[in-house]
Amino acid sequence: MSRHVINLSLCFALAVMLITGGAAYWLPFSLLNARLHVCGGLVFVALITFHLVDRIAYLQKLFALRLRGFTGWHAFSVLSGVAVWLYITGTGTAPSTWLMKQSYEARHRREIVRASPLVGFGEPSEHNRLIFRTTNPATATKDNPVELSVWLGFDRDLDRLPSIAVWAESMTGTMIETLFLEDELSYGETVDVHGIRKRRGDVLPIWRHKYSLVSGTDPNGEIDVVSGATERHQYSLDGTLVAGQGKEFIVCVELNVAGDPNDAWPDPVLGQPSLLYTAIVEVDAENSNALLELTAHGGGAEVDGNLQYDLGTITTAKTYADLFLVKLSTVRSHSRSNL
């Protein structure tokens, strides 16, 4: 009876791995899918181990019989097959190249936004977020580099946190680097908003327009042949987070809580438009802290990216932010400064 239970469990675990693996290949990244795949894999390995231990005597007899007729040619064939497989997968030779090009990641690579590996995220509490941008270790001992941290504190009465994008831009308004973007918005141009598919340009239109100008990809995920990508744009803050050179830039936070309509913005799904908070950061300033202040809203920005500075029609959305703070720290002794 136990063997039947193990066999059925193996079939179930294998099915979970196949389904979640297929979803990871064909669909945008999902934390739930990744969790199911990893847990299914652990269960599968545990069941296989238990199954092999239970059948160890049978397997020993089977291998003993097989090995009697196992020749050097058989060994060479097995090793050659393994070597060819490793070469094809390791070097990206066809057909592995073709196979990988059919994945979601490859087909939607222009839409996928990932923060720099030098960016870290934290959740000190349910209503607080911390985004930390360290400097490149290769330059951590030169030119007095500094590190950036952005603290986002939200109203404790919020049932759910807003959709958030955090980025840095130049004083002329050109995006330098996206520091943070919600996972659900990072892997595709559409997002589920209360059961309805919306473009991420409808949720965070200001960030999306800025991103279009430097990536050359429009809000539909298509190549924007009009603007195109900025040719010599360095999509990194490394050259800006340097003390002693009079550097300055703007930190921007755009947030949006869906389903918060008012008289001026009656759409029951999107509700009030996104809000933009900004702070000018002077790298060499004596005060290393800067408050992000409410600057504009994104109503209509999904069309042309223009900011709306008249905030008279915004009501409850103004209360979502509690304290947004930017801090700079000087890098010393190859270690991160204390926040």
Side-chain angles (χ1 to χ4, degrees):
M1 181 64 180
S2 61
R3 290 183 179 178
H4 293 302
V5 171
I6 292 175
N7 291 336
L8 290 174
S9 300
L10 277 171
C11 291
F12 175 76
L14 179 61
V16 169
M17 292 182 64
L18 289 174
I19 293 171
T20 55
Y25 181 81
W26 289 108
L27 302 175
F29 173 82
S30 165
L31 185 59
L32 174 61
N33 185 72
R35 189 184 301 120
L36 288 171
H37 188 74
V38 171
C39 292
L42 290 175
V43 171
F44 185 77
V45 170
L47 289 170
I48 284 290
T49 302
F50 189 84
H51 177 74
L52 292 176
V53 170
D54 185 58
R55 306 293 298 274
I56 189 67
Y58 168 76
L59 292 174
Q60 286 177 339
K61 292 180 180 179
L62 180 64
F63 282 131
L65 291 173
R66 294 292 185 186
L67 288 175
R68 290 176 186 175
F70 197 76
T71 64
W73 171 251
H74 292 127
F76 175 77
S77 300
V78 172
L79 293 175
S80 297
V82 172
V84 170
W85 176 75
L86 290 174
Y87 175 80
I88 290 175
T89 56
T91 61
T93 306
S96 65
T97 305
W98 176 87
L99 184 63
M100 294 309 300
K101 285 182 178 179
Q102 311 312 309
S103 68
Y104 181 90
E105 290 272 332
R107 290 182 290 113
H108 298 267
R109 63 184 179 276
R110 293 184 177 274
E111 304 170 31
I112 297 174
V113 180
R114 286 190 173 89
S116 164
L118 299 173
V119 177
F121 315 113
E123 297 183 11
S125 66
E126 183 179 358
H127 290 86
N128 296 312
R129 294 292 182 269
L130 177 64
I131 296 94
F132 185 91
R133 173 56 159 88
T134 187
T135 51
N136 192 326
T139 61
T141 60
K142 301 184 296 182
D143 300 325
N144 301 318
V146 295
E147 296 175 333
L148 172 73
S149 58
V150 181
W151 172 271
L152 303 179
F154 295 94
D155 182 70
R156 294 182 178 275
D157 292 332
L158 277 176
D159 295 331
R160 63 186 184 281
L161 289 188
S163 298
I164 306 168
V166 181
W167 71 94
E169 62 182 44
S170 69
M171 298 301 294
T172 59
T174 301
M175 179 182 286
I176 302 174
E177 180 178 331
T178 296
L179 300 171
F180 177 80
L181 185 65
E182 293 289 335
D183 284 343
E184 192 174 8
L185 296 167
S186 297
Y187 296 96
E189 286 297 341
T190 61
V191 61
D192 183 275
V193 180
H194 296 319
I196 299 176
R197 301 303 297 182
K198 292 288 186 179
R199 299 185 310 166
R200 61 183 175 188
D202 296 326
V203 180
L204 298 175
I206 301 173
W207 168 84
R208 189 62 187 86
H209 181 76
K210 298 280 187 178
Y211 181 72
S212 297
L213 294 177
V214 296
S215 68
T217 306
D218 68 18
N220 294 317
E222 302 296 332
I223 298 176
D224 188 344
V225 296
V226 177
S227 65
T230 305
E231 285 190 2
R232 295 181 181 176
H233 181 72
Q234 294 185 355
Y235 210 62
S236 172
L237 265 175
D238 286 334
T240 305
L241 294 177
V242 180
Q245 298 185 14
K247 301 285 188 178
E248 57 183 0
F249 59 98
I250 302 173
V251 172
C252 302
V253 176
E254 185 179 13
L255 60 88
N256 195 350
V257 173
D260 60 345
N262 61 14
D263 292 339
W265 305 94
D267 188 322
V269 178
L270 293 176
Q272 297 171 69
S274 65
L275 298 184
L276 177 68
Y277 291 77
T278 62
I280 296 176
V281 179
E282 298 179 10
V283 177
D284 296 325
E286 292 184 5
N287 186 0
S288 62
N289 297 328
L291 285 173
L292 288 131
E293 298 181 349
L294 179 58
T295 305
H297 71 74
E302 62 273 11
V303 178
D304 51 23
N306 291 333
L307 305 183
Q308 305 298 321
Y309 297 99
D310 181 5
L311 298 168
T313 59
I314 308 301
T315 54
T316 55
K318 294 179 180 178
T319 67
Y320 299 153
D322 181 24
L323 175 64
F324 288 179
L325 181 66
V326 180
K327 180 177 180 180
L328 293 177
S329 304
T330 303
V331 177
R332 295 184 178 89
S333 303
H334 295 272
S335 62
R336 291 183 175 181
S337 303
N338 294 327
L339 291 177

